């Protein structure tokens, strides 16, 4: 598939993934649907940016950690800049890509992300969401954040998500517009689903064979889940969910 036909740009937000990012970039770049891979290094303290660049990605670097949503926003801006540059060189290249959001720790399993692009490129869905199999290593959470996101999304839209926090998604240009600006921090996935559905667009969950690093049971994992809960709660409340008023 030529670059003209491959109208998907992958955006990979990550922090301190020097050991995994090269394999992730290589797997995503090999997908025939993907023309561009943009890695957003969100304040890493290791060599993530250099490794990603060497693997062939276009790299945007944040000097300090700004959070996942900010990293995605930077990636979207960079994709649109690259598209504008291509259009200036050749007016026949004037189009907007669908966007594939990819976690930086997927490594070789990122080669399975092509299934997310199919329905979007065919016009059958405006956003697809990967549902993951059981992970090789169990996480340390108890499902509180997942439950919160699932209840809030269902209340606001009627859609019951299997994996509401899944970060691996493909969005049509219309879906990107509907969800912009993105919700802050770890509330971004929950808000994406609500905003795209409320715009009258179609969302599909698609089984995808992916494996990634899960948060543990140590204090870092507990802090991460607390931050997730806060950001998901804020995203839902800002979209009109009032669980404390429900009988």
């Amino acid at each position: 598939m030529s670059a003209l036909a491959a109208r998907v740009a992958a955006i990979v937000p990550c922090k301190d993934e020097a050991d995994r990012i090269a394999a992730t970039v290589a797997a995503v770049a090999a997908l025939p649907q993907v023309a561009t891979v943009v890695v957003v290094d969100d304040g890493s303290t290791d060599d993530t940016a250099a490794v990603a660049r060497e693997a062939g990605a276009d790299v945007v670097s944040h000097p300090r950690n700004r959070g996942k949503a900010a990293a995605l926003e930077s990636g979207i801006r960079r994709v649109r800049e690259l598209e504008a540059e291509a259009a200036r060189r050749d007016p026949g290249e004037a189009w907007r890509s669908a966007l594939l959001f990819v976690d930086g720790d997927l490594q070789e399993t990122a080669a399975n992300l092509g299934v997310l692009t199919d329905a979007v490129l065919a016009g059958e869905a405006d956003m697809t969401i990967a549902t993951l199999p059981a992970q090789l290593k169990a996480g340390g959470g108890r499902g509180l954040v997942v439950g919160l996101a699932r209840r809030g999304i269902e209340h606001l839209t009627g859609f019951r998500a299997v994996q509401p926090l899944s970060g691996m998604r493909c969005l049509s240009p219309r879906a990107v517009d509907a969800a912009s600006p993105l919700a802050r921090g770890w509330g971004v996935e929950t808000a994406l689903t609500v905003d795209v559905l409320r715009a009258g667009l179609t969302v599909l969950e698609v089984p995808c064979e992916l494996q990634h690093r899960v948060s543990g049971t140590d204090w870092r994992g507990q802090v991460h889940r607390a931050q997730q809960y806060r950001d998901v709660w804020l995203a839902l409340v800002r979209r009109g969910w009032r669980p404390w008023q429900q009988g």
Side-chain angles (χ1 to χ4, degrees):
M1 185 178 291
S2 69
L4 261 177
R7 298 194 173 186
V8 177
I11 298 175
V12 189
C14 58
K15 180 179 184 293
D16 295 332
E17 294 290 1
D19 293 340
R20 301 171 181 84
I21 193 63
T24 302
V25 169
V28 174
L31 292 170
Q33 304 93 329
V34 173
T36 305
V37 180
V38 174
V39 168
V40 183
D41 175 23
D42 191 29
S44 292
T45 58
D46 62 10
D47 295 329
T48 293
V51 174
R53 192 171 290 111
E54 186 175 346
D58 187 283
V59 177
V60 177
S61 292
H62 290 172
R64 60 178 178 81
N65 181 251
R66 294 168 52 193
K68 187 172 187 179
L72 288 171
E73 293 273 21
S74 291
I76 293 170
R77 283 194 297 272
R78 181 55 181 159
V79 168
R80 300 311 181 212
E81 288 172 1
L82 293 171
E83 291 170 348
E85 291 171 9
R88 283 193 294 271
R89 292 192 302 268
D90 179 357
E93 292 276 336
W95 44 266
R96 293 198 300 164
S97 307
L99 301 182
L100 179 65
F101 294 164
V102 182
D103 285 355
D105 59 359
L106 296 178
Q107 297 182 275
E108 290 83 359
T109 69
N112 297 319
L113 285 167
V115 296
L116 293 183
T117 69
D118 294 342
V120 173
L121 292 177
E124 297 168 359
D126 283 285
M127 182 169 72
T128 52
I129 305 171
T131 57
L132 280 60
Q135 299 296 283
L136 297 177
K137 181 179 178 182
R142 299 182 179 179
L144 295 178
V145 186
V146 171
L148 173 69
R150 183 178 290 130
R151 291 193 304 275
I153 291 169
E154 186 171 20
H155 178 83
L156 292 171
T157 69
F159 179 81
R160 185 165 180 81
V162 175
Q163 292 185 6
L165 301 181
S166 175
M168 279 61 71
R169 299 172 180 232
C170 186
L171 287 77
S172 71
R174 290 197 306 169
V176 176
D177 290 344
S180 296
L182 301 181
R184 59 163 285 181
W186 299 107
V188 61
E189 290 91 0
T190 301
L192 275 170
T193 304
V194 172
D195 292 345
V196 171
L197 287 168
R198 281 182 158 181
L201 305 179
T202 303
V203 174
L204 293 177
E205 290 186 299
V206 181
C208 197
E209 291 295 323
L210 304 171
Q211 293 286 329
H212 68 113
R213 187 178 65 254
V214 295
S215 57
T217 57
D218 61 4
W219 68 269
R220 291 181 182 84
Q222 299 299 337
V223 169
H224 171 68
R225 282 184 286 277
Q227 292 171 336
Q228 275 189 308
Y229 196 98
R230 174 201 64 201
D231 289 351
V232 169
W233 173 272
L234 288 172
L236 291 168
V237 168
R238 286 169 179 167
R239 283 157 180 77
W241 192 39
R242 299 292 183 265
W244 57 86
Q245 295 177 356
Q246 297 173 25

